[in-house]
Amino acid sequence: MVKTIAILILAGTLSYSLTSCKESQKTKQATTSVHTQTSLNVDSLLQVAKQKVNDTIVLQGKVKHTCSNSGRRCFITNPSGETPLRVEASGNIKGFNKELVGSEIQVTGIVKEQRLSQEYIDNWEKKIKEKEEEGEHCDSESNNITQMREWMKKNNKDFYSIYYLQGIDYEIVK
C-alpha cells in the first residue's frame, strides 16, 4: 500500500513537472516570436497597406528626410530610394533628429490611412491655379494632382489614399 501511494505521488509529481515545463517552453516561444516579427520594406507594405490599416507592423528602410522644424516626422524610402513613406512620431518616439538621414532604421508602428477627398483635391488645384496667376508655380504639385486623379479614375474611387506609419518605437539597423 505504501509502495502504491509512493508510486502515485511520484507519477503525479513527474506529470506536473513535464506539464509545467511544456507550458514554460510555449511561453518562451510566444515571447520570441513577438521579437522576431518579420519587417517589411516600403514597397511590400504599400502592396498590402489597405489590408493592414490599424495593424501593428515592423517597417525597415533608409531615412531620406526628417522634418527640421518639429522632428515629429521622418520619411523612409524603398530600396531604390524612389518611394518615401511618412513615419509620425508617437509612443516611445519623441522625435527624429536630422542625424538619422541616410541611416537604415527599423520602426514598429501602426499603419494608418489618410484619405484626400475629391473636394480637397479640387480646392488644392484651385490654390495652385491662383499661385500660377500670381507668378508662383510648382510643377510637382500639379503633377501630383494629375497622378491622384488618374489613380482615382483607374480605381473608381472618389478619394485618394495616403498610407503612413504612426511610429511607436524604432532602432537603427547596424
Side-chain angles (χ1 to χ4, degrees):
M1 172 97 170
V2 173
K3 223 179 192 183
T4 307
I5 293 174
I7 291 174
L8 287 173
I9 292 173
L10 182 61
T13 305
L14 185 59
S15 174
Y16 175 76
S17 296
L18 290 174
T19 305
S20 65
C21 182
K22 285 181 184 175
E23 290 300 316
S24 174
Q25 286 176 345
K26 285 180 188 175
T27 304
K28 208 178 261 186
Q29 286 173 349
T31 305
T32 303
S33 67
V34 167
H35 295 295
T36 59
Q37 182 179 1
T38 305
S39 63
L40 300 169
N41 65 34
V42 172
D43 290 336
S44 57
L45 172 58
L46 291 175
Q47 289 176 0
V48 296
K50 183 177 180 180
Q51 294 81 25
K52 296 282 187 187
V53 172
N54 294 322
D55 286 354
T56 301
I57 59 119
V58 177
L59 178 70
Q60 184 169 328
K62 186 177 268 191
V63 178
K64 184 173 183 134
H65 174 78
T66 60
C67 290
S68 58
N69 290 340
S70 68
R72 303 285 301 154
R73 288 188 182 126
C74 79
F75 292 85
I76 296 179
T77 62
N78 63 348
S80 67
E82 296 170 1
T83 308
L85 187 110
R86 183 176 86 223
V87 178
E88 298 280 341
S90 67
N92 294 328
I93 304 173
K94 301 302 176 217
F96 300 99
N97 62 42
K98 62 184 177 185
E99 287 77 23
L100 281 175
V101 174
S103 300
E104 185 88 9
I105 65 170
Q106 197 171 57
V107 182
T108 301
I110 302 167
V111 178
K112 294 294 184 180
E113 177 185 26
Q114 177 182 3
R115 290 185 176 185
L116 303 182
S117 67
Q118 182 69 47
E119 180 183 1
Y120 178 89
I121 295 170
D122 290 343
N123 288 333
W124 184 14
E125 190 171 42
K126 283 179 191 174
K127 288 178 183 177
I128 291 172
K129 287 181 180 178
E130 289 171 5
K131 286 181 181 180
E132 284 177 0
E133 291 171 5
E134 295 172 5
E136 296 177 35
H137 181 63
C138 183
D139 287 334
S140 65
E141 283 186 301
S142 297
N143 292 338
N144 286 342
I145 289 174
T146 301
Q147 289 174 353
M148 289 177 191
R149 291 190 191 285
E150 287 170 0
W151 181 89
M152 289 165 45
K153 185 176 181 179
K154 178 183 170 186
N155 292 285
N156 197 29
K157 302 283 184 186
D158 63 348
F159 61 88
Y160 181 80
S161 291
I162 297 174
Y163 296 100
Y164 67 97
L165 197 65
Q166 182 181 347
I168 298 170
D169 208 352
Y170 80 91
E171 62 184 42
I172 297 173
V173 178
K174 303 268 177 182

